[in-house]
Amino acid sequence: MNIGVVGTGHVGLITAVTFAEIGHDVVAIDSDKEKVQQLRQGQAPFYEPGLQAMLESSLASGRLTITDDPAEVGAKAEVVFICVGTPPKATGEANLIAVEHAAAGLAPHFHERTVIVEKSTVPAGTSRHLKRILKHARPDLGDDLQVVSNPEFLREGHAIEDSLKPDRILVGADSDWALATMRRVYEPLIDKGVDFVATNIVTAELSKHACNAFLAMKISYANALARLCERSGADVVAVADIMGKDQRIGRSFLNAGLGYGGFCFPKDLAAFEALSLEFGYEFPLLREVARINDEALDATVRKVIDAVWNLDGKRIALLGLTFKPDTDDTRFSPPIALAKKLMEHGAKVIGYDPAGMTNALEELPELEAAVDVYDAIEGSHCLLLATEWDEFNQLDFVKVKELMAYPVVVDARNALNSKEIAAAGLSYFPTGRPSIVQEQ
Ligand code: UGA
């Protein structure tokens, strides 16, 4: 099938290369001419496991074309996926201007029956507006122009895998032919047994926010438990393991730590709350989830102070700057927020991340950048693990102890091996579990 993809960010580019991978002819469009050039040369603009190779192979096979010309998309595409950003406004609502511009910019070029797909995360009700502006732009096409909702559920760091083997494909549509067209798009995955869930548009739109808010709620529940475990002497990891054995609960997304970040959960939670209020329903649970998330960050700052005492002039080796491992994304990253707070307390923060250094320095130029992990640790008064990259589990803690000015490890993700750390003579302060304090 001929497919158009608007926007080549974390959702758009993954959508484009994976559709090419399953056999479609894809034209991806971006208004950023520099990015278009870079993509045409086969350079992925961000880090995502498997993306670089899949971009190269889809360009080489001719199944993927990159353009900045809307006419090229409109001339061929039977289905156009809108994958542009929906960033938060100051009020928390999603800013949908890029979605509107994308649809309006393409509308003059649609040649015949076209399905316009909301792939970006948008609030329930967005399709009403989209339909109106499309009808206004192309009254001649009548019902041959259809809007459907097809939210993505991919996680950064696992985006290719999540696109090719999703838990479900969700499509909200009002027309039979639009639904049938979407089924054809996903046929190669449906044939492999992936569940295709069809519903109405508003249900599909709302389900996306409902999923992300629920996952964020699980994380905040775990973080609230961590506060209680720290006060009572219980172990939050053991509690989560025990809870997880109950199939009704499940173990995933119960890892306490620094809290959630990234370009999805924080903005989606705020947008979901704003949407609820717009419909006249207060949803205070969502606000509480966000509050507990902020509290997790402050609890980590207090933990560092407790471990190191005065922060003025102290060197903190901050390991991990991205919002989660296996990505270079530092947008709404808890480690960056943590670095800012530590700096406000007078600490000198030396950051290291396997993939996110460039983005981190753009967000926080005051950060001192280490060239490698041991460079960050050398002379530091606290090793603070903020993102659970595998690399940090390979550390030689005997060497770490020799390099540090003060032997303290704060594990804000409960990802390190406490026994190894303690055996090397370092004090260990995890999150929501008992600390191991060495007599100095
Ligand atoms: C999330 C959802 O998981 C995807 O299903 C969804 O498609 C995506 O948002 C989106 O809306 O585009 P993502 O933001 O890539 O995906 O990352 P997650 O793996 O969900 O992690 C989000 C944050 O929660 C990270 O900061 C992570 O460190 C944190 N987290 C996750 C925890 O603190 N504890 C956990 O147990 C799990």
Side-chain angles (χ1 to χ4, degrees), residues 121 152-156 208 212 215 219 253-255 259-261 264-265 268 323-324 413:
T121 303
E152 52 80 21
F153 294 103
L154 51 90
R155 295 161 298 166
E156 288 184 29
K208 166 68 191 194
N212 275 4
L215 291 169
I219 298 168
F253 283 73
L254 283 179
N255 292 325
Y260 58 78
C264 300
F265 286 177
D268 287 356
F323 81 101
K324 63 185 251 185
R413 294 286 184 184

Side-chain angles (χ1 to χ4, degrees), residues 80 103 123 165 191 219 243 272 312 356 388 416:
V80 175
K165 290 183 198 152
D191 285 350
I219 298 168
M243 289 175 66
F272 201 26
D312 269 305
E388 65 277 33
L416 298 172

Side-chain angles (χ1 to χ4, degrees), residues 160-167 189 194:
I160 299 236
E161 180 194 333
D162 286 351
S163 299
L164 295 176
K165 290 183 198 152
D167 288 344
L189 304 185
V194 177

